[in-house]
Structures are given as C-alpha cells and as structure tokens.
Amino acid sequence: MFLGPAERTLLSRAARIKGLGFGVKSVTVVPENADRDVPTIQGAMLVFDDATGRHLATLDSAVVTNLKTVSDSLLGAKMLARPDSRRLLVVGAGSVARTLIEAYPAMFPHLDEISIWNRTATSAKTLAETVSGGPITIQAVTDLEVAVQEADIVATATMARAPVVLGDWLSPGTHLDLIGAFRADMRKVDDAALLRARLFVDNRDTTLDHIGELKIPLSEGVIAPTDILADLYDLSHGSPGRASPSDITIFKNGGGAHLDLMIAFAIVESSGIH
C-alpha cells in the first residue's frame, strides 16, 4: 500500500507464511533527504507469532531491507551472471549500495574492481572512501556510460523514476541487477535494454503488475509477459537462465513482503527471541 506523492511516500507491506508468522513493514520514502544528509528510507517492521499472534519484535526496517534486497539480488546473480565476472558497477550510494559492495565479492571471487556512480558525485566518492582498503579496487566514477560499458555486472540501487542505464551502453555478457523501482512509475533502464536482454524476475506475482520497470513496457506493448523467461522459482527448478557468455541478462529484484518476513524471522531466531 502506498500513501502520498512520489516525492514523499509511506509504503506498507504485510505477509504471512504458514508456520512462520506475520510481518508488517512500514517505511517513509523521501528521496530529497539525500540532499539533507538524512536517510531516504526510514521505518520499522513488526513481527508476530503465527500460532498466537503475539508480538515478537520490532526491527529496524533498514536492516531487514538491506539483507533481504542483497540476498535476493545475489541469488539472481548467482543464477544469471557470468561466474568469472571481474567488474561490478553499483549505481547509487545509499545503504543498499554499501551492502551490495560488501556482499557481491563473497559470491563472485574473481571481482577485482568495483565502481560507484551516483547522481551526487560527492556521495559516490564518500562511499568509495568508506569501503576501500581491501584487496578489491573501489572507485567513484563520473562517466556512467563508460562505466556501464566496462562492467560485467551493473547493480542499480537508486530512487530514480526515469531510466538511468541505457540499452545502447550495454556490452555483450553484462548482467543487470535492477533494484529500487518499487512504484508503478519508476524505472531504471530504458526499452532498448529490455529488448536486448534475456529477462528474469524474482517473483512474477510481485513484479509484472506492480513495478514500473516492467509494468510500463508491458502496458505499452514493448515487451510481452512471455518475454519474462523465468523467476527464481522457475530457475531453481531447472528453467534455463543465461544461454551463452555473450547474453545480456536482466534480473528485476522486486523484493516483496514474504522476503522481508523470512529475513525478519531469521533475525528474531538468531537473537533468541521466542
């Protein structure tokens, strides 16, 4: 459920998984907070016992969202990106971007270069300086087109409502990890990117009719539902993903309340809350 305009939104999502429990996550999304040095997304998640309905915990939404988002993206990348990928480009400089930078090397041991691009260049530079110091070269970049052309994996973690990554920039073999377009009016890539790529989603039910990344081109006839080749459920049961090293693959990370709930209960159980 959304309340408010695009520039100041309250987003609430709820889920129940039988045998696990209930969860409700509510966050405010204020993109202009980036210019105020305030988090653009703030909120909390409530977790309830499945059998009794008892309130078990109230969690910081950022912790749940970061772990959920990165886990979703890494699973998609593991199934679709080239395992020998060396260059990662992260578009965005917020908390999700930082978690992506920390997590991707664990799944892709050949990564030796991570670039960060952000609309506000100083934010990209600050993040690069914060996370540098290990064996991987981490740098802020200002030329997005060149950075996309050189990347093996592009992860977009931004609040942009119009495409920032263009299909004409993509090199053969690139994997796009699309994060952040959670509204029906939000997109990260243009039609050309969709038409050049093999398309995948984390969950058909939570993406095709709800998220602008796919809803807009579907409604305009640019792509058809059959162009979405598989979701994570299909891929985990043997549906083909990348067909060749030169394929361009796109994975839409739609998230979903069910994933928030899984992560929240993992946190609750690890904390010893019963």
Side-chain angles (χ1 to χ4, degrees):
M1 180 184 70
F2 298 97
L3 291 175
E7 66 273 11
R8 194 169 291 109
T9 302
L10 173 67
L11 167 63
S12 293
R13 287 178 172 170
R16 183 229 175 187
I17 298 176
K18 185 177 180 180
L20 193 62
F22 302 85
V24 180
K25 187 177 78 172
S26 294
V27 300
T28 55
V29 184
V30 184
E32 62 188 31
N33 277 353
D35 299 324
R36 303 169 174 146
D37 198 26
V38 175
T40 57
I41 302 176
Q42 302 173 78
M45 181 163 184
L46 302 177
V47 184
F48 303 90
D49 179 71
D50 190 46
T52 66
R54 181 169 60 92
H55 173 231
L56 298 176
T58 300
L59 306 177
D60 183 345
S61 66
V63 174
V64 176
T65 299
N66 287 356
L67 291 174
K68 179 272 299 274
T69 301
V70 173
S71 298
D72 195 4
S73 285
L74 285 180
L75 180 57
K78 179 181 180 181
M79 293 178 169
L80 298 170
R82 301 197 321 271
D84 61 348
S85 295
R86 294 180 48 248
R87 294 176 174 176
L88 168 67
L89 168 64
V90 176
V91 180
S95 61
V96 171
R98 176 170 181 165
T99 309
L100 289 168
I101 292 167
E102 294 169 345
Y104 254 104
M107 190 71 73
F108 292 88
H110 297 289
L111 281 179
D112 56 24
E113 182 179 307
I114 299 177
S115 298
I116 307 168
W117 180 92
N118 192 62
R119 175 180 60 86
T120 305
T122 54
S123 296
K125 182 178 180 180
T126 298
L127 178 58
E129 293 172 347
T130 301
V131 297
S132 292
I136 298 176
T137 299
I138 302 177
Q139 60 186 355
V141 296
T142 56
D143 192 326
L144 180 59
E145 179 178 353
V146 171
V148 170
Q149 290 171 345
E150 295 178 346
D152 298 312
I153 300 173
V154 178
T156 64
T158 77
M159 291 289 113
R161 293 199 292 273
V164 293
V165 175
L166 306 184
D168 290 343
W169 299 348
L170 301 173
S171 299
T174 305
H175 173 68
L176 276 73
D177 171 19
L178 302 183
I179 304 167
F182 55 88
R183 291 178 61 107
D185 61 349
M186 299 175 78
R187 297 185 68 177
K188 300 294 176 291
V189 296
D190 63 357
D191 292 343
L194 299 177
L195 292 171
R196 293 189 64 193
R198 291 172 61 83
L199 306 180
F200 303 89
V201 297
D202 57 359
N203 187 322
R204 295 177 188 272
D205 293 338
T206 60
T207 53
L208 301 193
D209 295 329
H210 306 283
I211 296 174
E213 203 80 77
L214 296 172
K215 183 175 182 178
I216 294 171
L218 283 168
S219 67
E220 295 176 348
V222 175
I223 58 173
T226 52
D227 290 320
I228 312 303
L229 300 178
D231 62 14
L232 289 178
Y233 298 96
D234 302 324
L235 290 168
S236 65
H237 287 85
S239 291
R242 172 178 292 276
S244 79
S246 62
D247 282 338
I248 295 171
T249 54
I250 288 180
F251 175 73
K252 177 53 200 169
N253 177 335
H258 62 299
L259 298 180
D260 287 314
L261 184 56
M262 293 176 190
I263 293 295
F265 263 92
I267 295 172
V268 168
E269 290 177 355
S270 68
S271 302
I273 300 173
H274 300 286

